[in-house]
Amino acid sequence: MPNLLLELRSEEIPARMQRKAAGDLKKLVTDALVEAGLSYEGAREYWTPRRLALDIHGLTARSADVREERKGPRTDANEKAIEGFLRGAGLSSVSEAQVVSDPKKGDFYVAVISKPGRATEEIVTDVMPGIIRDFPWPKSMRWGKASSKPGALRWVRPLQSIVCTFGPEHEETTVIPFEIDGITASNITYGHRFHAPEPITVRRFDDYAANLEKAKVILDAERRKDIILHDARDIAFANGLELVEDEGLLEEVSGLVEWPQVLMGSFEEDYLSIPSEIIRLTIKTNQKCFVTRKQGEEMLSNKFILVSNIQAKDDGKEIVHGNGKVVRARLSDALHFWKRDQGNLPDLETLTASAAKFGLDINKPLDQRMAKLDALDVTFHAKLGTQGARVARIRTLAKELADITGADPALIDRAAVLAKADLRTEAVGEFPELQGLMGRKYAALQGEDASVAAAIEDHYKPQGPSDRVPEDRVAITIALADKLDTLIGFWAIDEKPTGSKDPFALRRAALGVVRILLERKVRLPLRATTKDIDLLSFFHDRLKVYLRDQGARHDLIDAVLTPDADDLLMVARRVEALTAFITSEEGKNLLAGTKRATQLLAAEEKKGTVIADGVSPALLKLDAEKELFAVISGASKDASDAVAGEDFRSAMEALSKLRGPVDRFFEDVLVNDEDAAIRANRLALLRLIREATGTVADFSKISG
């Protein structure tokens, strides 16, 4: 079957957009072809800084013929109905329609619409211009003389050429020469901008990829990544070092080069006095280079690894020299920031009021930065006030949480007032992603308690499902206070996440609270803390996501989680115990009996059947119902006592005593007895089953 090769070549596409754009191209093209009646065996997308490519193999040569029968109105319908039918079916008169008789409905018109299949080349010509014109780039531009005309083509960078060939695997291919804004698809592409700028004639994907590689272009992005990674590891090892790997940087760099050449540069060792995080970010952000360290050590070396797109004649000496100059200049700036942040601010006399408000020591650099943050009235959010006001709220909330977390109140207070201080440091001003981390380093330098320093960094954590959770009690307290203040504040001003939009990362904050409570076993009454039922429901949603990710069944979560449940740690423990019980043989059998009881009871309640207020022993006639009544009272009390003592496994064991009596009850007892009093009494017995199991979970919500 034929294959389709497509390439859209342009000036350099931003690295961050390439992978998604290639995926978008694949989806848009394959969806359009399938919609037009074609099928294919497989498709794979490719991308480099200057091209998006698509290889679709096993594509049918033409779409199938289609025959459709469209039923119309009765032959005696009004004229307007018949005219509408003819228009919709594409018929000029009723003589072109068939008349079909139905014994019950009478005669009615039927239009037989036949659509002959179309050649794949014709379909591609139809769909491709629209796909290119409406391509979903995050940002796009117009260029050249045509850019001033209405409807001019927009692309992420100027589009230069299009390749579109189609044909069987072992025969000659044909060009599908569709055109858009003066660019006509052909079988001509170009290699590396500097090493091989001459035109290349291609037929199908295999020779396209092979010819590009001869022209110094590696089409496969994953292969470029692999080359960069292994060459970087090798060159580091050859110099007695190891590469500090960075998947995000590797992805970005592979999108900057078509012919990766890995080189090593260096900078003066004096710059190693700068924290390694700053060195790494400086070199990564400004030069897209990797850092190295001595094998088996944490401290960085003064060697960095760069990736060039040019295979230089001097083995890259000039490239290394040029990159080294820029790296040194950037590190010089970073060293300046690092030293300045450890010194006094020039306007200390203006900070005394703010220092007094927070109990700050104006002689300490980090305290000065917190005072400056407050004195400048730096806005946190227009409706939620300044950063200083926020720190004051976090301080108050952290003090309240201290009783729950068991952290030292004095250390909590100190950590709270310094937590946001590094936002006014020059290092964080240059690299915002270092907030917290730099605060910890500056806190250690001015002699703060280790718990205070750790809390300054860790109160932002966890920032995602794979990020670590704070361990120190002071850090746990400040992290909870920070996230809860954010959530309470944005709920108060009605700025809640909607659909996929969450501009203030409130889902992440709530999931962070959930993870801290569960993974650090903190008992926090969220309803009393937040004073907002809707926010409690939001925490429930995040808890469900977390527990499902941990492997919990959604129905077991629903069976345990009530609308007013505000101790999430207890909910998680209930789910864990219920999971173990319900997967056991006893649990499965009890579930079946309990569901039968609750369903029968619910049906009778719905009908308004009389149910006794309580069970009368005198009305228990059969041994099976007497046995169930005898067992259920004790099991219910034992389960309730165990739940009160937060021993959920024992609660499940208590309920398991019901299994045999419930089974025998349904085997031997007819609930809907002819005697109304006996029936009402037996229904009351079913209600006791529901109430007993309800002390642990709502068994009616459990599937199975």
Side-chain angles (χ1 to χ4, degrees), residues 579-698:
T579 300
F581 177 64
I582 218 68
T583 53
S584 69
E585 205 56 39
E586 281 191 334
K588 290 175 184 175
N589 290 333
L590 179 60
L591 173 63
T594 301
K595 287 178 77 72
R596 184 175 176 184
T598 54
Q599 287 167 359
L600 196 159
L601 181 63
E604 295 302 317
E605 287 174 333
K606 190 174 182 180
K607 289 191 290 187
T609 305
V610 174
I611 302 171
D613 293 334
V615 176
S616 171
L619 292 174
L620 299 175
K621 302 301 182 184
L622 301 176
D623 290 343
E625 57 184 330
K626 291 176 183 178
E627 179 194 12
L628 178 58
F629 181 61
V631 172
I632 201 167
S633 300
S636 182
K637 183 180 184 305
D638 290 346
S640 295
D641 291 346
V643 168
E646 298 175 2
D647 185 355
F648 302 115
R649 290 190 180 276
S650 294
M652 301 297 172
E653 290 173 8
L655 290 181
S656 68
K657 297 173 185 175
L658 294 174
R659 174 199 163 178
V662 167
D663 288 347
R664 283 186 287 277
F665 177 84
F666 281 113
E667 287 172 7
D668 300 347
V669 178
L670 176 65
V671 175
N672 287 321
D673 193 89
E674 292 180 358
D675 186 318
I678 293 177
R679 180 171 63 246
N681 199 55
R682 288 174 178 172
L683 288 171
L685 193 53
L686 296 187
R687 187 163 56 197
L688 285 183
I689 297 174
R690 184 171 68 185
E691 290 171 355
T693 55
T695 59
V696 173
D698 184 347

Side-chain angles (χ1 to χ4, degrees), residues 277 390 419-420 433-438 440 453-484 486 505 507-517 519-520:
E277 295 85 357
R390 183 171 185 237
K420 306 297 181 183
E433 55 267 63
L434 290 180
Q435 62 185 17
L437 180 80
M438 296 312 303
R440 179 176 192 163
I456 294 173
E457 177 182 5
D458 289 354
H459 82 281
Y460 289 106
K461 298 182 178 300
Q463 296 195 51
S466 59
D467 195 15
R468 64 180 177 85
V469 173
E471 297 182 13
D472 184 277
R473 290 186 180 185
V474 176
I476 288 170
T477 309
I478 305 301
L480 286 172
D482 176 67
K483 292 167 179 59
L484 288 170
T486 298
R507 291 189 182 95
R508 186 176 70 187
L511 183 59
V513 171
V514 169
R515 286 191 61 200
I516 292 171
L517 298 182
E519 294 177 30
R520 296 295 173 250

Side-chain angles (χ1 to χ4, degrees), residues 27 245 255 381 482 688:
K27 185 176 190 311
E245 296 185 17
H381 184 278
D482 176 67
L688 285 183

Side-chain angles (χ1 to χ4, degrees), residues 139-157:
K139 292 183 179 180
S140 57
M141 61 180 290
R142 294 179 297 180
W143 63 93
K145 294 180 180 179
S147 63
S148 60
K149 298 177 183 177
L153 175 65
R154 299 183 67 92
W155 198 247
V156 63
R157 293 292 184 270

Side-chain angles (χ1 to χ4, degrees), residues 19 97 111 162 188 302-303 392 424 519 588 633 639:
R19 182 181 290 272
I162 301 171
I188 302 297
N302 68 325
K303 306 287 187 181
R424 288 305 305 168
E519 294 177 30
K588 290 175 184 175
S633 300

Side-chain angles (χ1 to χ4, degrees), residues 37-88:
L38 300 175
S39 63
Y40 63 97
E41 293 176 359
R44 184 177 173 187
E45 71 275 29
Y46 298 85
W47 62 93
T48 80
R50 299 180 62 219
R51 66 199 81 222
L52 303 178
L54 184 59
D55 171 31
I56 302 178
H57 54 274
L59 184 62
T60 46
R62 63 182 294 110
S63 61
D65 297 340
V66 176
R67 185 180 185 276
E68 175 190 354
E69 290 189 2
R70 187 175 300 179
K71 186 178 178 181
R74 285 167 52 101
T75 54
D76 57 357
N78 63 63
E79 193 173 327
K80 285 190 175 180
I82 294 174
E83 287 177 357
F85 161 66
L86 294 175
R87 264 197 316 273

Side-chain angles (χ1 to χ4, degrees), residues 496-507:
K496 306 168 188 176
T498 56
S500 61
K501 295 182 179 179
D502 187 9
F504 303 109
L506 301 181
R507 291 189 182 95

